Amino acid sequence: MTLRSRHRSRARNLITERRRNRVLGFGALYAAGAFIVLQVADVAFEPLGIPGTVTRLLVVAAIIGFPVIILLAWAVDETPEATRWIDPRAADPEPAEPPSPNRMVVIPFAVRGGDEYGYLAEGMVDLLSAKLCCAGELRYVDPHALLSFMKQRRGKRVDPADGGQIAQHFGAGLFVLGNVLEASGQIHIDATIYRCVGEVEVVTRCDVEGPASEMFGLVDDLAREILTGLTAESGTRLEKLAVTTTDSLEALTAYLQGESDMRAMRRLPAIEAFQRAVAADPTFSLAWYRLGMAGLWSGQLELARDAAERAQTTAERLTEHDQLLVQAFRAFLRGESEEAERLYRTIVGVQPDDVEAWYQLAEVLFHYRPRLGGSVIESRPAWERVLSLEPEHVSALVHMALIAACEGNEEEVASLVDRALAISPEGDAVTWMLALRAWLLGDRASQKRVAAKLRRGSDFSAARSAWYVALPSRELDGAWALTELLTDPSRSPESRTLGHVWLAHLELVKGRWGAALDQLAAVERIDPASATLYRALLHLYPCADVAADELGELAAAVANLDCDAVPPSITTGAYFTVHNNVHPQLKLYLLGVMAAKRGDDSAASSYAAQLEKLDGRPEAVELARDQAIGIRARVKMNEGNDAEALELLETASMSALFELTMASPFFSQALERYLRAELLDRLGRTEEALRWYGSFREHSTYDLIYLAPSHLRRAQMFERSGDQQKATLHYSKFLALWKDCDVELAGAVKAAEQRLAGVSGQLAG
């Protein structure tokens, strides 16, 4: 068989496959009906006295009738009458649904040339539709339904007006008309894409030419030109860039699908699409970049880092502008927030309408500013810029809702959540957003629905929802209710450990030390190593009154840990994997801090030196250096040298990726941040101290335990400076958090109540 014959045979097979399926369906129905008739005859004929010969005749008739009905079905399938019967929409001139701007119908091409190419009239419908399938948001009309409908026209040529009517019949806002011309073994194919949402208008024209033996390659080229034209006309900037940076149609269509999923915040499907894209074209830098982005926002940090590195090594086909995007993203992943912010501001300074750069700048500000004493609210202008350029940017709407929650604007939260859900009803953030709205607005019915859904959902989704509700620091009871879902016996050990650890922190936020230790006792039964590490860390809490012998016992328990025996977490998401392979480092850090707290400066310095020599994951090594600095700063404080202690703390990089700092109290360095604020206050650097005391909201469940003591410290500072109004505010917030604290902490509450009464009296006077 020649190559041309094989191509023709392959295309014809595609065309006839639908008819074969229909005929098989008729055959199956006939066989079932014959079987029922024969069963009835076998049971009923003998009692009725009907001779057995009649039954035998029925059997023979059924056997003879089977091939007859098959032949008739094959023939009838070709008639216009059958077409009308098969497709009831053919008799209905009204469209089945409103025209969609992302739905396309490929109308049979006009063919001129040798008869052997006549199959391409209908063949192009199958071939081109298959090539365009699932390219971003583009969807095509089923070729079987289209060809069945077209048989009514009996070969009549279709003009653009006819094409518009056909497309609208199928709810399509786009249609393709084309021609195939064969001459001397050369094939010329042209296609025009029309929009028919309203008036029929040309979107783009494409044509390809080459040897007939390369028919399927020509169809690939034509499909690529169509996608290029559609993308140039209405795609995002990155989608327009994609068509020029890969030569693979398969890679391009997968990339466009990934972009569609990313816009709707469907990160896991986006990852699969981008992985298909880079598998088809390993040099496709833009697909690697977006794969890294999808990996980051789905909590798969290793995937994100690997993809970002591949994006960098394959970036030579990108413009200088887009190479900066890749470079900024790598800085973002390394936790270098200042460098990432600088690069993104450089990009938008040159191209003020770059949605991607504004989006990433907003992410930097949202996730990194709070840990440095700022607020997520500082990112609002960047998010507003994103929405001004792309009003249906789901991620921007989600972040704006969180900002509105932090501002206490319940009406705006409800509006933004509604907008996001209308655009992306199946996106990743649906349940998280519903949880935020339900608890912020006190909607009990919605709370029950969300909780029921999360009970059936993944560990990661439950954890993320709890974080969303806890972030504004306004609805801690809601955060408790959602966190408790993680402790269900049906959950993974990693999930139950995380749930009890978070519940311990939420108890301590309210000054309930005994209840916090009870939660750690539950962790002991699941993960003894984590229980020991967290118990030691919580005993270093600024408000913990720990006796020297108790601290010694804790240190001994930590020293006896066999960290090499701790298995890595296999549950997906940074909440669960953040401490994989870093337990030995956490052990050294805790032993160093406890030694410094006991006044054993020699031992503390030894642990700091061991931390400085560690090797491993880059972010873990960076953390180890910062942890060593924190221990050495405590030694300086023991020596009475607060200024040198502060100078040391100011050299810490604090450059961990935000996802790690959200997922770990060790990576967030909350203990060192609180110590830094204390030192700044002692040294009279009041404004800086206030900023660092303000770094424990809007970031992490682990950070929230520092809220009450930081409010108390700020109240005292404002009272000293004579700002009674702000002093009143912070005393009130402290008392609201600790209103149900343990009796051991009641003394601090009583003292704060007395100070508040005095300050309030001064205000009233």
Side-chain angles (χ1 to χ4, degrees), residues 410-420:
E410 297 175 0
E411 184 177 340
E412 186 180 10
V413 170
S415 173
L416 288 163
V417 170
D418 287 342
R419 286 175 61 188

Side-chain angles (χ1 to χ4, degrees), residues 98 260-261 296-297 387 429 442 490 503-504 524 546 609 627 687 711 752:
S260 175
D261 288 326
L296 171 63
W297 301 122
L387 289 172
S490 65
L503 290 177
E524 183 80 36
V546 186
Q627 289 174 326
E687 289 301 318
H711 280 306

Side-chain angles (χ1 to χ4, degrees), residues 220-284:
D220 277 358
D221 293 342
L222 184 66
R224 182 181 176 81
E225 284 201 24
I226 289 174
L227 288 178
T228 300
L230 291 173
T231 303
E233 196 264 349
S234 60
T236 66
R237 193 188 69 80
L238 288 184
E239 289 172 333
K240 294 173 184 177
L241 178 63
V243 301
T244 65
T245 54
T246 181
D247 297 323
S248 167
L249 175 63
E250 182 181 355
L252 177 60
T253 55
Y255 174 87
L256 293 174
Q257 181 58 51
E259 285 296 293
S260 175
D261 288 326
M262 283 290 277
R263 279 194 295 275
M265 284 188 75
R266 298 187 295 264
R267 270 63 180 270
L268 293 179
I271 287 174
E272 294 175 1
F274 291 134
Q275 285 175 329
R276 292 197 305 272
V278 296
D281 181 0
T283 67
F284 195 178

Side-chain angles (χ1 to χ4, degrees), residues 101-249:
N102 298 318
R103 186 170 169 83
M104 175 182 285
V105 58
V106 180
I107 294 171
F109 277 40
V111 178
R112 290 179 290 165
D115 292 341
E116 60 184 314
Y117 295 99
Y119 70 93
L120 287 175
E122 294 185 356
M124 288 299 295
V125 178
D126 281 296
L127 296 173
L128 200 53
S129 295
K131 297 295 182 184
L132 298 173
C133 174
C134 299
E137 297 176 359
L138 185 64
R139 296 295 180 267
Y140 69 95
V141 171
D142 175 48
H144 180 275
L146 182 278
L147 292 174
S148 295
F149 179 79
M150 292 298 295
K151 286 172 186 174
Q152 298 173 83
R153 300 184 61 85
R154 301 180 185 275
K156 179 183 175 183
R157 183 171 177 79
V158 177
D159 61 24
D162 295 330
Q165 292 178 357
I166 294 167
Q168 291 186 19
H169 172 85
F170 288 99
L174 297 167
F175 66 94
V176 181
L177 293 179
N179 301 281
V180 178
L181 173 63
E182 185 274 336
S184 303
Q186 290 287 110
I187 293 284
H188 179 93
I189 309 175
D190 65 73
T192 303
I193 295 82
Y194 295 88
R195 181 185 291 108
C196 57
V197 180
E199 296 294 323
V200 174
E201 57 181 344
V202 174
V203 177
T204 186
R205 290 187 170 91
C206 316
D207 66 276
V208 295
E209 186 171 352
S213 60
E214 298 178 5
M215 170 60 65
F216 287 97
L218 294 176
V219 175
D220 277 358
D221 293 342
L222 184 66
R224 182 181 176 81
E225 284 201 24
I226 289 174
L227 288 178
T228 300
L230 291 173
T231 303
E233 196 264 349
S234 60
T236 66
R237 193 188 69 80
L238 288 184
E239 289 172 333
K240 294 173 184 177
L241 178 63
V243 301
T244 65
T245 54
T246 181
D247 297 323
S248 167
L249 175 63

Side-chain angles (χ1 to χ4, degrees), residues 527-647:
D527 184 350
S530 291
T532 300
L533 293 174
Y534 279 109
R535 186 177 291 111
L537 182 64
L538 290 185
H539 276 81
L540 297 173
Y541 176 57
C543 298
D545 185 14
V546 186
D549 58 345
E550 186 179 3
L551 197 59
E553 291 175 4
L554 283 168
V558 172
N560 290 330
L561 273 180
D562 182 6
C563 291
D564 293 330
V566 178
S569 171
I570 59 174
T571 302
T572 302
Y575 294 123
F576 310 101
T577 62
V578 64
H579 293 150
N580 279 356
N581 304 317
V582 297
H583 287 84
Q585 174 179 330
L586 304 183
K587 174 179 174 177
L588 288 173
Y589 166 70
L590 290 170
L591 289 172
V593 175
M594 287 189 288
K597 190 165 185 175
R598 296 196 313 271
D600 189 347
D601 292 346
S602 176
S605 297
S606 174
Y607 289 123
Q610 292 178 64
L611 283 167
E612 288 164 345
K613 295 175 184 177
L614 286 180
D615 224 342
R617 289 160 35 195
E619 68 274 10
V621 171
E622 196 68 39
L623 174 63
R625 303 292 183 270
D626 283 358
Q627 289 174 326
I629 288 171
I631 294 171
R632 294 192 185 282
R634 287 174 171 83
V635 171
K636 288 293 183 183
M637 290 175 66
N638 289 344
E639 296 171 353
N641 199 332
D642 289 353
E644 287 190 27
L646 180 58
E647 286 177 10

